[in-house]
Amino acid sequence: MIFNQSEFDLRCEWGHQGINQLAPISDVMIIVDVLSFSTAVEIATNNGAIIFPYQWKYSSALDYAKSIKAELATKRTSTTGYSLSPQSLTKITTGTKLVLPSPNGSSLTLLTRNKATLAGCLRNCEAIARFAQKRGSKIAVIPAGEKWEDASLRPSLEDLIGAGAILNYLNGSLSPEAETAVAVFNSFRNDLLNTLKKCSSGKELIARGFESDVELAAEINVSGCVPVFIDNAYVKQPF
């Protein structure tokens, strides 16, 4: 009871433990992994693709993809195929079924079980909020965060900003944690691109040659696409 923010309509907590605490008492779960799972899912589903999250680096991923007649995402560094890089998904074709493992967003999605689950980012923050509000009043926004080398959670600025962007458009009582996310978003909302390029996760992607992914992720409210997790996959729902 102490950690689940149950006194409030709108909740915000990090990662795996955030889902464990908030899912049982929430109507809707929103997974926020700005760099890059949620952004990749928004772009892909907006193009009509069907995205199947999968656990990161599980050797069974290829067998799973074959079993559902889907493609398996390639490594981000690959010059061909679709990957966790949002840029690689900008021209994905309608109807493509893609298994997309990721260390954060995919893994967290698979923990929400039977709860209504959405993939939110800066690109679709207002649309996600409006859709979520129609599904219930108790809404949990989960910034995914990143991982340190020892696999422990690294809270990441871009996901806190993304969570705050969504919470900014929701109506209801905010937990202090949710209020903090909104305050962080409002602090950076007029300079999102530079902020994402200068934060640790953005610098990492730029150093690896994925500056265009950061640029795509920094665009705000450019999409009305709402990816909803249904039957083991994210699909675009009419808004």
Side-chain angles (χ1 to χ4, degrees):
M1 291 291 291
I2 291 175
F3 298 106
N4 64 14
Q5 303 171 38
S6 59
E7 313 97 302
F8 307 96
D9 298 323
L10 309 176
R11 301 101 180 225
C12 182
E13 192 54 84
W14 289 94
H16 183 167
Q17 293 302 328
I19 289 176
N20 287 346
Q21 291 291 329
L22 304 186
I25 60 163
S26 298
D27 301 317
V28 183
M29 306 295 292
I30 303 174
I31 307 298
V32 183
D33 186 355
V34 171
L35 295 174
S36 300
F37 176 80
S38 297
T39 300
V41 169
E42 182 280 314
I43 288 173
T45 56
N46 201 22
N47 283 345
I50 304 163
I51 301 299
F52 293 82
Y54 205 71
Q55 294 286 354
W56 184 242
K57 293 187 177 180
Y58 269 40
S59 59
S60 54
L62 181 57
D63 289 337
Y64 175 66
K66 289 179 178 178
S67 73
I68 59 173
K69 298 180 180 179
E71 297 182 41
L72 176 62
T74 63
K75 292 183 178 180
R76 195 168 195 149
T77 52
S78 175
T79 57
T80 60
Y82 306 122
S83 75
L84 196 55
S85 164
Q87 181 63 49
S88 76
L89 298 164
T90 55
K91 298 194 185 313
I92 195 170
T93 55
T94 298
T96 299
K97 296 167 68 176
L98 182 68
V99 174
L100 187 63
S102 87
N104 304 303
S106 277
S107 300
L108 295 177
T109 297
L110 297 173
L111 295 174
T112 63
R113 301 186 184 277
N114 296 322
K115 288 291 180 178
T117 301
L118 317 176
C121 60
L122 289 169
R123 297 175 59 86
N124 65 355
C125 55
E126 183 173 4
I128 284 284
R130 295 189 185 282
F131 185 91
Q133 207 93 68
K134 293 178 180 179
R135 298 292 295 267
S137 60
K138 308 299 183 183
I139 300 171
V141 182
I142 306 295
E146 298 292 341
K147 296 286 194 302
W148 291 110
E149 289 185 1
D150 65 359
S152 62
L153 174 70
R154 175 173 70 80
S156 56
L157 178 63
E158 72 277 4
D159 291 344
L160 190 58
I161 291 173
I166 295 165
L167 287 158
N168 179 67
Y169 289 103
L170 289 169
N171 297 315
S173 58
L174 292 157
S175 71
E177 291 84 355
E179 282 193 44
T180 299
V182 173
V184 171
F185 166 65
N186 283 324
S187 294
F188 294 107
R189 67 185 303 170
N190 294 324
D191 197 21
L192 289 170
L193 179 56
N194 284 330
T195 300
L196 263 61
K197 284 185 174 182
K198 291 188 292 186
C199 73
S200 296
S201 302
K203 289 190 295 183
E204 179 187 25
L205 285 179
I206 292 169
R208 294 171 57 195
F210 295 104
E211 185 168 0
S212 61
D213 286 347
V214 181
E215 292 169 349
L216 286 168
E219 295 180 318
I220 186 166
N221 283 332
V222 295
S223 171
C225 174
V226 177
V228 182
F229 190 56
I230 300 174
D231 295 331
N232 300 317
Y234 278 109
V235 294
K236 177 182 179 180
Q237 291 295 292
F239 181 58

